[in-house]
C-alpha cells in the first residue's frame, strides 16, 4: 500500500455548505511574510478549495482595515484585545465574515476552527464566537529513540529519527499541520529515557538538523523541547560529577545552553526524568529535586526557556513483603514539601494518577496541593496499559474525569483550574500527553486510536467540550458524515473504555498484565515485583488498604476527599480495591458480591467486544476498505485478548475464593 499521510481529520472533503464570503481576502495589519501566517493562509486556500470548491478571484492586501471596500470578502486582522489571549481568536459574521486575533497563532487556530466548522457543515450565518486556549502549554511527549524505535510505541517506527539521524521533511510538515489543527503548541521529540545517541542531541553534531526540524514546527506555532539526560556532564562532558551545586557542572551546562538556543529556532526548553526507575538525579548528590531543576532553569531563563520536571519519582526496588511502603504515596512525598522552592520557569509534570497510566486510578493528590509551584498534567495516549492501540479504548472520558476532579485546595479547585493557571494565577502551566503516533499509514496504527490524539488536542484547547461532542466531530471529519454510520461508530467508541475495564481490571485494582510487555493478562505478573504494584489477593479477599489505618495514602488528599476515600461506604466503587482490602463476599451497591462482580464484568466485557465487531461489520460498505480492514483485524485480536482475560481472571479468583459463579457459566 502506498503511504498516504493525509489520513487525518484535515481531509477537507466537498460539502454542500453555501457561503458567499470568499471572493476576496482582506488582510488587515498582518505580515504576510510571517511563516505562521503563510501556513495559515495556505491552509485556508486549500481548505476552501476542498470543502467549497472556491478558488480565489482576487486577493486584497491592505494595511488599514478601514480601507477595505469590497463587499463579498473574508477579513482577517490582528488587533490587541483584552478578550483575546495568546492563541485566542474571534470569528463573527456581519455582512462580511471576520477573523480577528492578537497573535499569529490565533490567526492559525481561527482558520483551522473555521475550516473545521465548514467541514462539519455548520451554518456560519450570524456566528459570533470568541475562543481562547485554556491551557498555556499544550504538549505532546514523544518517547522516540534515535535508532528509530519508540518506547511504548504501537504505531510503527519514529518519524523524527532513523539510524541515529534526525529526519525533517514532508512527514514533519504533515504532522505539524495535523497537531496544530487541534491546538497543540509544543512537543518533546525524544524519549524521556535518554539513551544512546540521544545523549548527544544537545551537542553541535545534531544542531543543524535539529534547527531544520524545529523551524518546520515553529512555522505552525509549535515549540520544540528536548528530553535531557541529567547526567550529561559525566556521560558526554567528561566531568566527574553532575552535582547541580558544582561550579564546573554549571559552567558546562551554561556553554551547552548558549549554543542550543543560539542555533535552534523555536527551542522551548527541556523535559527531564531524574531519580526515577534507575535514572540518576540530584538525589545522588544529596540535593533536592528543586536544586536540580533550578540549576538548569536559571541558566536558560535569559532565553525564556522552560524546564519541565517529571514527578514520576518512586522506589522501584520495593520489597513485596513490605506492607507499609506505598508507591502511590511517592509523588506527593518527594515533591509536596518543596512547594515554593522551584523557579518560575520550572513546571512540575504530574501523571494523572499516583501509579502509572492504569485504566482506572484516583487523581494524583499532588495536583493542586502545591500552591506556589507551576504544575502541568501528564496523560498517556499511547495505550501502554489500555490495549496498546490493538484493543479499542476511548481515553477522552478518562481525561475529562481528571480535568473535572475537585481538589478542594482553592476556590477554583478542579484540575483544569490548576493546570490552566486559574487556581493560583500561574502562567507556566499546561497539559502533556505521551504521544501515540508513529510512521504508520494511519499515524496511530489503529485508525480509531487517532480519536484519542484528536480529542486530547481539542480538550487541551477547550476542556469544556464533552467526550460525546469530540467523538462526533472526529467521526465526521475522519470517517464519514452519513448519519446512521456516525451513530453506529459512536456506539462502538463511547463505551470502549468501560468495556476494556470490564475484562481487565475490576474495581480499580490494575496491574494484572504481562510484565515488561504490558499487553495481555498475567494476574500475578507484578504481584511479587520490586515496582510496588500489588493487588494483595488471598483466599479471603482482594485490594490494597490505603486508608488511614492502612498505608495512609488517603491522608495526602484534602480532608473532603480523604474522608470520601477512607470510608468504605462513600468510596466510589470503581476505585474500591485501590483504597480498600475487602472480602470476596463484600456487598456492592448493586447487591452483588465483589466476586460476582468480577465474574459478571469479565463475561460482559467479552460480549461487548463481540457487539462492537457486529456493529463494525454492519457499516463495511460506508468505510474506506483499507481502514475497515485494518480496524477489523485489530478487533479480532481484541476479542481473543478479552477472552483470555475473562478466562484467566475468572479462573484465578474462583480458585482463590472457591466461590462459584451464580449463573453457572464456564470457569476453568
Amino acid at each position: 500500500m502506498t503511504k498516504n499521510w493525509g489520513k487525518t481529520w484535515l481531509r477537507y472533503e466537498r460539502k454542500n455548505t453555501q457561503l458567499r464570503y470568499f471572493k476576496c481576502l482582506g488582510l488587515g495589519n498582518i505580515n504576510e511574510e510571517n511563516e505562521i501566517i503563510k501556513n495559515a493562509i495556505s491552509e485556508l486556500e486549500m481548505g476552501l478549495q476542498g470543502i467549497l470548491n472556491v478558488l480565489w478571484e482576487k486577493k486584497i492586501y491592505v494595511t488599514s482595515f478601514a480601507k477595505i471596500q469590497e463587499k463579498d470578502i473574508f477579513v482577517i486582522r490582528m488587533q490587541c484585545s483584552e478578550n483575546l489571549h495568546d492563541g485566542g481568536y474571534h470569528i463573527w459574521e456581519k455582512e462580511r465574515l471576520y477573523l480577528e486575533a492578537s497573535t499569529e497563532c490565533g490567526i492559525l487556530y481561527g482558520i483551522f476552527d473555521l475550516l473545521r466548522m465548514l467541514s462539519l457543515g455548520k451554518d456560519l450565518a450570524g456566528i459570533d464566537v470568541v475562543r481562547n486556549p485554556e491551557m498555556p502549554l499544550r504538549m505532546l511527549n514523544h518517547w522516540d529513540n534515535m535508532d528509530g524505535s519508540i518506547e511504548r510505541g504501537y504505531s510503527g517506527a519514529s518519524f523524527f529519527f532513523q539510524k541515529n539521524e534526525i529526519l525533517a521533511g514532508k512527514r514533519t510538515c504533515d504532522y505539524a499541520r495535523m497537531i496544530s489543527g487541534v491546538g497543540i503548541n509544543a512537543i518533546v521529540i525524544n524519549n524521556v529515557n535518554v539513551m544512546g545517541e540521544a545523549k548527544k542531541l544537545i551537542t553541535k553534531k545534531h544542531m543543524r538538523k535539529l534547527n531544520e526540524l524545529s523551524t518546520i514546527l515553529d512555522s505552525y506555532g509549535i515549540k520544540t523541547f528536548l528530553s535531557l539526560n541529567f547526567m550529561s556532564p559525566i556521560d558526554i562532558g567528561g566531568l566527574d560529577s553532575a552535582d547541580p551545586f558544582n561550579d564546573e557542572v554549571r559552567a558546562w551546562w551554561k556553554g551547552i545552553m548558549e549554543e542550543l538556543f543560539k542555533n535552534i529556532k523555536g527551542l522551548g526548553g527541556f523535559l527531564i526524568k531524574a531519580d526515577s526507575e534507575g535514572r540518576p538525579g540530584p538525589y545522588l548528590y544529596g540535593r533536592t529535586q528543586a536544586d536540580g531543576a533550578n540549576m538548569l532553569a536559571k541558566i536558560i531563563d535569559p532565553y525564556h526557556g522552560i524546564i519541565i520536571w517529571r514527578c514520576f519519582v518512586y522506589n522501584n526496588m520495593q520489597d513485596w513483603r513490605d506492607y507499609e511502603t506505598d508507591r502511590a504515596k511517592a509523588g506527593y512525598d518527594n515533591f509536596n514539601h518543596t512547594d515554593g522552592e522551584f523557579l518560575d520557569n520550572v513546571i512540575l509534570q504530574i501523571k494523572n494518577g499516583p501509579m502509572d497510566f492504569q485504566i482506572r486510578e484516583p487523581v494524583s493528590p499532588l495536583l493542586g496541593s502545591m500552591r506556589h509551584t507551576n504544575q502541568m498534567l501528564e496523560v498517556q495516549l499511547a495505550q501502554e496499559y489500555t490495549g496498546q492501540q490493538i484493543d479499542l479504548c476511548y481515553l477522552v472520558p478518562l481525561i475529562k474525569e481528571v480535568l473535572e476532579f475537585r481538589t478542594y485546595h482553592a476556590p477554583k479547585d478542579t484540575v483544569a483550574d490548576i493546570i490552566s493557571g486559574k487556581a493560583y494565577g500561574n502562567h507556566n502551566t499546561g497539559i502533556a500527553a505521551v504521544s501515540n503516533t508513529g510512521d504508520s499509514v494511519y499515524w496511530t496504527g489503529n485508525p480509531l486510536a487517532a480519536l484519542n490524539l484528536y480529542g486530547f488536542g481539542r480538550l487541551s484547547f477547550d476542556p469544556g467540550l464533552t467526550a460525546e461532542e469530540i467523538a462526533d466531530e472526529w467521526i465526521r471529519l475522519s470517517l464519514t458524515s452519513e448519519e446512521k454510520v456516525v451513530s453506529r461508530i459512536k456506539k462502538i467508541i463511547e463505551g470502549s473504555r468501560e468495556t476494556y475495564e470490564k475484562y481487565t481490571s475490576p474495581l480499580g485494582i490494575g496491574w494484572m498484565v504481562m510484565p515488561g510487555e504490558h499487553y495481555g493478562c498475567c494476574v500475578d505478573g507484578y504481584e511479587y515485583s520490586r515496582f510496588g504494584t500489588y493487588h494483595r489477593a488471598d483466599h479471603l479477599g482482594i485490594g490494597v488498604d490505603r486508608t488511614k489505618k492502612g498505608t495512609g495514602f488517603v491522608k495526602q488528599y484534602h480532608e473532603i476527599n480523604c474522608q470520601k476515600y477512607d470510608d468504605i461506604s462513600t468510596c466510589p466503587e470503581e476505585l474500591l480495591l485501590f483504597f480498600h482490602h475487602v472480602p470476596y463476599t463484600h456487598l456492592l451497591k448493586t447487591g452483588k458480591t465483589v466476586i460476582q462482580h468480577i465474574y459478571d464484568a469479565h463475561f460482559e466485557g467479552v460480549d461487548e467486544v463481540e457487539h462492537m465487531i457486529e456493529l463494525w461489520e454492519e457499516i463495511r460498505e460506508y468505510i474506506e476498505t483499507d481502514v475497515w480492514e485494518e480496524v477489523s483485524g485489530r478487533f479480532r485480536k481484541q476479542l481473543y485478548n478479552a477472552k483470555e482475560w475473562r478466562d484467566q481472571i475468572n479462573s484465578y479468583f474462583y480458585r482463590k475464593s472457591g466461590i462459584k459463579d451464580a449463573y453457572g457459566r464456564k470457569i476453568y
Side-chain angles (χ1 to χ4, degrees):
M1 181 188 299
T2 301
K3 290 197 172 185
N4 174 9
W5 307 134
K7 290 182 180 292
T8 72
W9 45 85
L10 303 178
R11 293 159 72 96
Y12 300 150
E13 294 180 336
R14 194 66 44 82
K15 299 289 180 184
N16 293 323
T17 305
Q18 299 296 318
L19 285 172
R20 62 178 183 86
Y21 297 107
F22 298 102
K23 286 185 181 179
C24 303
L25 172 66
L27 298 178
N29 304 320
I30 288 179
N31 176 13
E32 63 169 304
E33 294 304 312
N34 178 277
E35 292 299 319
I36 294 175
I37 295 297
K38 279 185 181 179
N39 284 330
I41 300 303
S42 173
E43 199 73 32
L44 180 64
E45 293 178 350
M46 179 169 52
L48 293 178
Q49 185 174 348
I51 300 165
L52 303 174
N53 197 26
V54 170
L55 295 175
W56 302 99
E57 296 180 6
K58 178 181 177 185
K59 288 187 182 180
I60 300 176
Y61 296 96
V62 296
T63 57
S64 171
F65 175 66
K67 293 180 181 179
I68 296 175
Q69 301 297 327
E70 301 288 337
K71 289 184 178 180
D72 295 331
I73 195 166
F74 173 41
V75 179
I76 301 176
R77 64 178 178 178
M78 287 181 61
Q79 183 168 305
C80 291
S81 168
E82 292 182 359
N83 295 326
L84 295 177
H85 307 153
D86 185 11
Y89 54 89
H90 182 193
I91 299 174
W92 78 98
E93 188 267 347
K94 192 174 182 181
E95 296 183 352
R96 298 183 179 112
L97 190 63
Y98 299 89
L99 167 60
E100 182 178 271
S102 57
T103 64
E104 289 84 1
C105 284
I107 298 293
L108 179 67
Y109 298 145
I111 285 174
F112 275 123
D113 195 16
L114 174 68
L115 295 174
R116 178 165 47 240
M117 289 188 283
L118 291 175
S119 293
L120 293 169
K122 295 188 185 257
D123 184 0
L124 300 186
I127 189 173
D128 190 349
V129 296
V130 175
R131 293 194 171 109
N132 288 300
E134 287 287 314
M135 312 298 170
L137 202 58
R138 306 174 298 280
M139 172 178 278
L140 291 171
N141 290 178
H142 287 260
W143 287 359
D144 295 31
N145 301 312
M146 287 198 68
D147 63 3
S149 64
I150 302 176
E151 183 176 336
R152 306 304 176 190
Y154 312 111
S155 306
S158 172
F159 51 80
F160 289 135
F161 307 108
Q162 187 179 74
K163 297 179 180 179
N164 292 327
E165 297 292 338
I166 297 169
L167 305 176
K170 186 178 185 303
R171 177 72 161 177
T172 316
C173 292
D174 289 344
Y175 183 62
R177 281 184 62 231
M178 180 173 72
I179 63 174
S180 66
V182 287
I184 299 299
N185 68 352
I187 63 171
V188 182
I189 63 171
N190 63 307
N191 192 355
V192 291
N193 295 313
V194 185
M195 301 174 289
E197 185 67 19
K199 293 179 180 180
K200 300 177 184 176
L201 265 178
I202 59 175
T203 66
K204 290 183 180 180
K205 177 181 179 181
H206 294 291
M207 283 188 193
R208 182 187 64 80
K209 204 67 178 179
L210 265 179
N211 183 58
E212 188 179 334
L213 173 63
S214 183
T215 299
I216 294 171
L217 297 170
D218 190 64
S219 71
Y220 284 91
I222 301 166
K223 290 293 185 184
T224 299
F225 283 70
L226 301 176
S227 289
L228 204 62
N229 173 25
F230 188 80
M231 303 303 287
S232 290
I234 296 173
D235 290 350
I236 63 172
L239 303 183
D240 60 5
S241 173
D243 184 353
F245 284 11
N246 183 297
D247 290 339
E248 281 189 321
V249 170
R250 290 172 182 262
W252 185 85
W253 277 118
K254 185 176 181 180
I256 289 288
M257 295 305 179
E258 183 179 355
E259 286 296 311
L260 286 169
F261 280 97
K262 181 174 69 175
N263 289 291
I264 301 175
K265 181 180 181 181
L267 181 61
F270 305 91
L271 173 69
I272 300 165
K273 175 180 179 180
D275 290 310
S276 176
E277 298 184 322
R279 301 196 66 79
Y283 282 168
L284 182 66
Y285 301 98
R287 313 302 184 191
T288 68
Q289 299 295 298
D291 292 334
N294 289 344
M295 179 266 292
L296 293 166
K298 187 174 182 180
I299 291 170
I300 68 172
D301 186 54
Y303 313 106
H304 307 291
I306 292 174
I307 294 295
I308 301 174
W309 197 269
R310 291 181 94 225
C311 295
F312 191 51
V313 177
Y314 69 97
N315 173 17
N316 67 317
M317 297 301 293
Q318 185 176 334
D319 188 335
W320 59 270
R321 303 166 186 83
D322 178 2
Y323 274 66
E324 294 183 7
T325 303
D326 185 358
R327 171 172 168 175
K329 296 167 63 177
Y332 188 98
D333 286 346
N334 279 293
F335 286 92
N336 184 260
H337 66 283
T338 58
D339 186 24
E341 296 180 10
F342 292 88
L343 294 178
D344 191 52
N345 62 328
V346 176
I347 308 176
L348 297 188
Q349 184 167 294
I350 304 167
K351 289 191 177 187
N352 61 274
M355 298 295 278
D356 192 10
F357 300 134
Q358 300 301 291
I359 189 66
R360 182 77 65 175
E361 291 184 52
V363 171
S364 170
L366 191 57
L367 285 162
S369 68
M370 301 177 73
R371 182 177 296 271
H372 306 291
T373 304
N374 299 321
Q375 300 184 34
M376 66 188 298
L377 173 67
E378 180 183 351
V379 297
Q380 189 184 53
L381 305 180
Q383 295 170 227
E384 180 179 355
Y385 294 97
T386 55
Q388 300 192 359
Q389 287 147 251
I390 298 170
D391 300 33
L392 180 63
C393 187
Y394 185 30
L395 294 173
V396 169
L398 185 157
I399 300 171
K400 284 283 293 181
E401 287 175 9
V402 176
L403 291 174
E404 294 170 359
F405 178 78
R406 294 193 64 186
T407 67
Y408 296 102
H409 287 301
K412 291 181 180 288
D413 67 342
T414 67
V415 171
D417 291 328
I418 291 154
I419 63 172
S420 66
K422 293 177 182 177
Y424 304 131
N426 308 78
H427 298 291
N428 286 326
T429 57
I431 185 169
V434 180
S435 178
N436 60 348
T437 54
D439 72 352
S440 152
V441 173
Y442 309 101
W443 291 97
T444 55
N446 187 339
L448 299 186
L451 172 56
N452 288 328
L453 179 60
Y454 177 87
F456 169 76
R458 295 287 281 133
L459 272 186
S460 67
F461 202 95
D462 182 2
L465 291 168
T466 68
E468 293 75 20
E469 287 172 327
I470 289 170
D472 186 82
E473 279 184 8
W474 179 83
I475 293 166
R476 294 176 190 277
L477 295 172
S478 304
L479 297 177
T480 179
S481 56
E482 186 80 28
E483 290 297 332
K484 63 180 180 181
V485 183
V486 171
S487 65
R488 282 173 172 78
I489 298 174
K490 286 170 74 173
K491 287 179 182 177
I492 292 170
I493 286 170
E494 288 180 351
S496 58
R497 177 202 179 192
E498 286 74 17
T499 295
Y500 185 85
E501 182 178 26
K502 282 180 179 180
Y503 66 77
T504 56
S505 304
L507 304 172
I509 196 62
W511 290 109
M512 295 184 288
V513 294
M514 292 294 293
E517 184 179 354
H518 298 171
Y519 184 79
C521 183
C522 185
V523 187
D524 283 336
Y526 280 101
E527 189 59 19
Y528 304 101
S529 80
R530 63 188 186 278
F531 291 105
T533 48
Y534 314 124
H535 55 67
R536 303 296 192 193
D538 55 26
H539 66 294
L540 297 174
I542 180 176
V544 181
D545 185 356
R546 293 188 166 102
T547 66
K548 294 176 182 177
K549 295 181 179 179
T551 69
F553 168 67
V554 294
K555 292 189 286 186
Q556 293 184 343
Y557 290 94
H558 184 281
E559 184 61 23
I560 294 173
N561 286 325
C562 172
Q563 291 298 334
K564 177 177 71 175
Y565 292 137
D566 192 60
D567 186 339
I568 199 168
S569 68
T570 57
C571 180
E573 288 190 333
E574 65 269 20
L575 291 170
L576 178 67
L577 302 184
F578 190 95
F579 287 103
H580 298 271
H581 185 89
V582 301
Y584 295 114
T585 53
H586 174 81
L587 281 178
L588 303 174
K589 293 182 175 65
T590 59
K592 294 181 183 181
T593 61
V594 165
I595 190 66
Q596 192 60 46
H597 173 89
I598 292 173
Y599 295 152
D600 289 350
H602 286 80
F603 280 109
E604 288 169 10
V606 173
D607 291 344
E608 289 173 12
V609 175
E610 289 176 336
H611 185 54
M612 286 180 185
I613 294 172
E614 291 171 3
L615 290 171
W616 190 249
E617 289 282 349
E618 291 175 6
I619 61 174
R620 180 173 192 157
E621 64 183 288
Y622 300 98
I623 304 296
E624 293 177 23
T625 301
D626 60 329
V627 173
W628 189 90
E629 290 178 347
E630 181 67 34
V631 173
S632 292
R634 290 173 188 264
F635 271 143
R636 288 192 293 271
K637 293 178 182 177
Q638 180 174 0
L639 181 58
Y640 173 83
N641 189 37
K643 288 179 177 178
E644 282 296 311
W645 274 92
R646 176 196 64 192
D647 292 343
Q648 290 190 37
I649 293 285
N650 284 346
S651 297
Y652 178 93
F653 286 106
Y654 170 63
R655 294 175 184 182
K656 279 278 187 183
S657 68
I659 300 172
K660 294 182 179 180
D661 171 36
Y663 301 102
R665 292 166 291 195
K666 180 67 174 178
I667 295 179
Y668 296 89

